Amino acid sequence: MLKIGVLGAGHLGKIHLRLLNQSSKYELVGFYDPFKENAAKVAAEFGYKAFDSITDLIAAVDVVDIVTPTLSHYDCAVEAIKAGKHIFLEKPISNTVEEAEHIIELAKEFNVKGQVGHVERFNPAFMAVKDKIHNPMFIETHRLAEFNPRGTDVPVVLDLMIHDIDAILSVVKSPVKNIHATGTAVISDSPDIANARIEFENGCVANITSSRISMKNMRKARFFQKDAYISVDYLDKICEVVKMKDAPETPGDFDLILQNAEGVKKQIYFDNPSVPSNNAILDELETFANAINTNTTPIVTLEDGTEALRIAHRIINCFGK
């Protein structure tokens, strides 16, 4: 079992602490939170050991789980890496692309592994269909959330949209060609609603919408490719795969057949995989333990997190133009 400590005991940090305490892959050593009152409350309520400093916690573990505000990711990661510790970084990997690239360089220099917490990669609905997504040419996503003061220290692109950016980059194997985007600040100092159109060199287009002032929660993605339509509901954890194949010469009474203007007939059929239940946060943490123990590449690498951040900043830079 790998010894792990958590930096940050806010809302998400407490979730990480609870799951790591249950995990068979890790030994939870403790946590550090700069707000002494919160640290004392968490330690008293759950029995986790509260460390007096980041340095003390880092010295006591093999892996550092960084669940602090984005602005502090870089400093925490640098200190952990220079101490020779593996790092799990909540998304986004850091505040700037330059910081993220330096984290990558340091991780290579000190021979440690890193993973970024793009948790939707571990969403069971996405995992159930990912191997069925082949060369999608149009992608549409909607990630809408009711207002929550948490996360409003950064634009909605870094708070919510970056989940969809990462998922899209994981299935579209082509460089980004052009980005057009708009964003509007409604209640925060930074944009609360954003839409981006990402054009890839292979012709794929992704249209991404995110809002953190919606009246309802929604996290959906649709992938369109030749002879198939795939939908993923990240929130309700359901997916749908609609495929087309050449119609049989003598269709059955209940076969769904389409015929185009040229007379070509296609049969529509459903190929919906089962979606096993899982805890995506626990899965991402435990697969990172597996990558460390087997010396293999983490599922969401530091490079993946950096590329998602790079695209996110390109989107933000479109605002106001």
Side-chain angles (χ1 to χ4, degrees), residues 38-283:
N38 183 57
K41 182 181 178 183
V42 171
E45 186 174 349
F46 301 104
Y48 311 132
K49 180 180 178 180
F51 281 77
D52 293 328
S53 71
I54 291 177
T55 304
D56 288 346
L57 180 137
I58 289 173
V61 301
D62 306 308
V63 184
V64 181
D65 181 11
I66 301 170
V67 201
T68 60
T70 303
L71 293 175
S72 62
H73 282 190
Y74 175 74
D75 289 338
C76 294
V78 168
E79 185 171 347
I81 292 169
K82 287 185 175 179
K85 312 299 181 176
H86 305 289
I87 56 165
F88 184 96
L89 273 162
E90 255 311 323
K91 65 83 196 167
I93 180 173
S94 194
N95 189 46
T96 68
V97 174
E98 292 74 22
E99 288 177 351
E101 289 175 339
H102 190 226
I103 289 171
I104 292 172
E105 291 172 8
L106 282 178
K108 291 177 180 176
E109 180 183 344
F110 287 87
N111 195 30
V112 300
K113 292 189 181 296
Q115 181 164 316
V116 183
H118 285 289
V119 71
E120 295 291 38
R121 293 265 209 113
F122 297 84
N123 187 297
F126 181 69
M127 294 177 69
V129 298
K130 187 178 179 183
D131 64 347
K132 300 179 185 298
I133 301 173
H134 303 294
N135 197 32
M137 296 311 292
F138 180 66
I139 301 169
E140 189 166 38
T141 70
H142 289 86
R143 186 169 295 263
L144 315 178
E146 297 172 1
F147 183 74
N148 186 325
R150 284 189 298 106
T152 54
D153 56 329
V154 296
V156 69
V157 177
L158 295 176
D159 181 27
L160 297 179
M161 187 182 282
I162 198 164
H163 283 296
D164 295 305
I165 295 169
D166 172 71
I168 289 168
L169 293 176
S170 75
V171 297
V172 180
K173 305 303 182 184
S174 175
V176 172
K177 182 179 179 182
N178 290 311
I179 295 176
H180 305 278
T182 184
T184 304
V186 178
I187 196 169
S188 310
D189 292 331
S190 58
D192 297 301
I193 302 174
N195 173 263
R197 175 185 169 92
I198 302 175
E199 300 171 2
F200 294 87
E201 288 185 2
N202 70 349
C204 177
V205 172
N207 190 35
I208 315 174
T209 301
S210 293
S211 169
R212 59 186 175 201
I213 53 167
S214 177
M215 300 299 289
K216 63 177 182 178
N217 293 322
M218 177 190 292
R219 304 205 303 260
K220 292 184 176 180
R222 296 186 294 168
F223 303 85
F224 297 85
Q225 61 197 39
K226 184 173 176 59
D227 291 340
Y229 157 77
I230 299 163
S231 68
V232 177
D233 188 326
Y234 294 102
L235 194 60
D236 292 331
K237 297 179 174 55
I238 55 177
C239 57
E240 182 179 45
V241 181
V242 181
K243 289 188 174 182
M244 288 198 298
K245 62 183 179 181
D246 292 336
E249 292 214 5
T250 52
D253 292 340
F254 300 103
D255 288 348
L256 291 171
I257 307 296
L258 292 180
Q259 181 174 327
N260 66 13
E262 288 73 37
V264 177
K265 294 181 179 181
K266 294 282 186 176
Q267 179 183 351
I268 299 174
Y269 68 103
F270 297 88
D271 177 22
N272 294 349
S274 60
V275 180
S277 60
N278 76 329
N279 186 303
I281 296 176
L282 180 60
D283 278 4

Side-chain angles (χ1 to χ4, degrees), residues 308-321:
L309 182 66
R310 181 177 287 110
I311 299 303
H313 276 292
R314 285 180 62 179
I315 290 168
I316 292 168
N317 290 339
C318 290
F319 298 163
K321 289 184 179 179

